[in-house]
Amino acid sequence: MSRSRGFFQACTAIVICVLVAEFTAAMAKTAILITVDQSGRGNFTKIQNAIDAVPDNNLEEVFIAVKPGIYREKVTVPANKPYITISGRRSSDTIITWNDSRNTYNSATLAVLASDFVGRYLTIQNGFGAGAQAVALRVSGDRVSFTACRFLGHQDTLLDDIGRHYYKSCYIEGATDFICGNGASLFENCHLHSVSDSVGTITAQRRESPSENTGFVFMGCKITGINSAVLGRPWGAFSRVVFGFTYMSDVILPEGWDNWQDPSKQSTVYYGQYRCYGKGANPSRRVPWSFSNMTTQEAAPFFSKTFIGAAHWLRPLPTNFKRAFASKP
């Protein structure tokens, strides 16, 4: 092959890559608009009906705009319906609520099983209360993000099950293991609030082997509560949770972590803390099997979106919309 021919082929490949990238970006800015309005002035009055209207194996961006209201329904985004966004205007007035308590995996008020899902400005609540696993949000899809949402529950509020997830400026409330699962997830600028009557447990991460690239990372967050709490306990033997640049009120007990009555896990878990502050952040009395004073080198792999590969899948909000329905089904 001549140098000129090789150069031409390389240039052609570059041009094709650029065109594909531009086409993908353009597609991401246009979405099918579906409106949910309890007053009847939208396409649907229930959120689940709007999701059901999305074709199976969907490849188009779908933006479900939910008007203010309290939506008393159990909602599932099936695995074969990707590229859906559900967005309210403000989390305080766009509320999805239910009170199921069957078990951790089936009790969720909102279950996101699809990949490439976005949630914005929503309150998702499981109102069952104490006494059983009662999940508000289950996330079992890959490349899922939530922005400015509130997740309210008591036990297992947020089941961050599997996949890569990003939570930004969210409020998460609960008492027992209220952020749990085996996702690879970054929580940025989130507020975690313990409502336990005794000792709350914020996380129960389920990483089960050192080969799993999963774990919960909290960056620039805030922790408050009404009594006392620990940062986490190991659902899985290789549980991994790291807090950085996070304000911890005195709700956090000095020891910081709990071994869930299984000392054997102390040698396999990875519980870290880096440049946190507040009365509950003092590393001097943390359990000796945690990394209470991570070095900058130890912290570097965690405290960026690279941890979840988000540069490749976080997408911008659509700026153009096309309507999917001419009349109300």
Side-chain angles (χ1 to χ4, degrees):
M1 180 186 294
S2 67
R3 289 186 179 180
S4 58
R5 184 181 177 187
F7 177 76
F8 175 77
Q9 289 182 336
C11 289
T12 301
I14 292 171
V15 170
I16 291 172
C17 288
V18 171
L19 290 174
V20 168
E22 290 178 349
F23 176 75
T24 302
M27 290 295 290
K29 293 179 181 178
T30 301
I32 295 170
L33 177 65
I34 301 175
T35 303
V36 178
D37 190 341
Q38 290 179 325
S39 71
R41 289 177 288 187
N43 300 113
F44 298 96
T45 58
K46 291 184 176 294
I47 297 169
Q48 188 63 60
N49 290 346
I51 295 168
D52 292 344
V54 177
D56 292 348
N57 304 311
N58 168 63
L59 293 176
E60 291 192 84
E61 187 84 15
V62 176
F63 192 95
I64 299 175
V66 183
K67 300 296 183 180
I70 299 176
Y71 294 83
R72 302 187 187 279
E73 55 178 308
K74 191 176 173 74
V75 178
T76 298
V77 183
N80 63 353
K81 293 180 186 282
Y83 303 110
I84 290 177
T85 294
I86 300 178
S87 179
R89 292 180 179 176
R90 291 188 303 270
S91 62
S92 60
D93 61 20
T94 310
I95 301 167
I96 309 171
T97 184
W98 201 249
N99 62 348
D100 199 340
S101 64
R102 283 181 288 174
N103 56 53
T104 300
Y105 287 92
N106 297 316
S107 62
T109 298
L110 171 61
V112 178
L113 310 182
S115 295
D116 299 292
F117 175 89
V118 176
R120 304 172 69 248
Y121 303 107
L122 303 168
T123 289
I124 302 162
Q125 178 183 41
N126 191 319
F128 180 82
Q133 295 103 330
V135 174
L137 171 66
R138 172 186 172 184
V139 187
S140 299
D142 192 25
R143 302 182 299 273
V144 173
S145 70
F146 285 87
T147 299
C149 290
R150 298 193 306 158
F151 312 125
L152 309 179
H154 198 273
Q155 183 172 340
D156 300 352
T157 302
L158 169 55
L159 174 56
D160 191 81
D161 184 23
I162 55 173
R164 294 167 293 172
H165 312 139
Y166 177 58
Y167 302 87
K168 183 176 182 180
S169 302
C170 292
Y171 174 85
I172 309 166
E173 179 181 288
T176 305
D177 305 331
F178 64 92
I179 303 173
C180 58
N182 196 22
S185 300
L186 174 62
F187 298 78
E188 186 172 2
N189 299 331
C190 292
H191 182 179
L192 319 178
H193 186 70
S194 173
V195 294
S196 174
D197 292 332
S198 54
V199 179
T201 310
I202 294 174
T203 68
Q205 208 279 333
R206 201 181 185 178
R207 183 168 173 255
E208 295 178 329
S209 81
S211 63
E212 292 181 298
N213 190 25
T214 60
F216 299 159
V217 174
F218 298 87
M219 181 170 68
C221 294
K222 176 170 71 172
I223 301 174
T224 59
I226 61 174
N227 285 299
S228 58
V230 292
L231 297 170
R233 60 181 182 172
W235 189 2
F238 290 83
S239 178
R240 181 163 65 172
V241 182
V242 177
F243 287 86
F245 312 100
T246 291
Y247 169 77
M248 299 180 181
S249 72
D250 59 4
V251 70
I252 298 301
L253 293 173
E255 58 266 32
W257 306 90
D258 180 83
N259 66 12
W260 213 333
Q261 299 180 330
D262 187 353
S264 68
K265 293 180 180 177
Q266 294 176 187
S267 62
T268 54
V269 300
Y270 190 102
Y271 290 154
Q273 185 174 312
Y274 180 71
R275 294 191 179 182
C276 295
Y277 61 101
K279 291 184 178 179
N282 188 340
S284 64
R285 293 173 62 188
R286 291 289 192 253
V287 292
W289 39 273
S290 69
F291 293 86
S292 57
N293 270 315
M294 297 174 73
T295 66
T296 300
Q297 185 176 5
E298 289 169 337
F302 298 103
F303 297 111
S304 78
K305 294 185 181 68
T306 304
F307 175 70
I308 54 172
H312 303 291
W313 57 266
L314 280 178
R315 59 188 189 274
L317 286 173
T319 55
N320 300 305
F321 296 94
K322 54 185 179 180
R323 296 194 174 274
F325 307 103
S327 61
K328 301 173 211 173

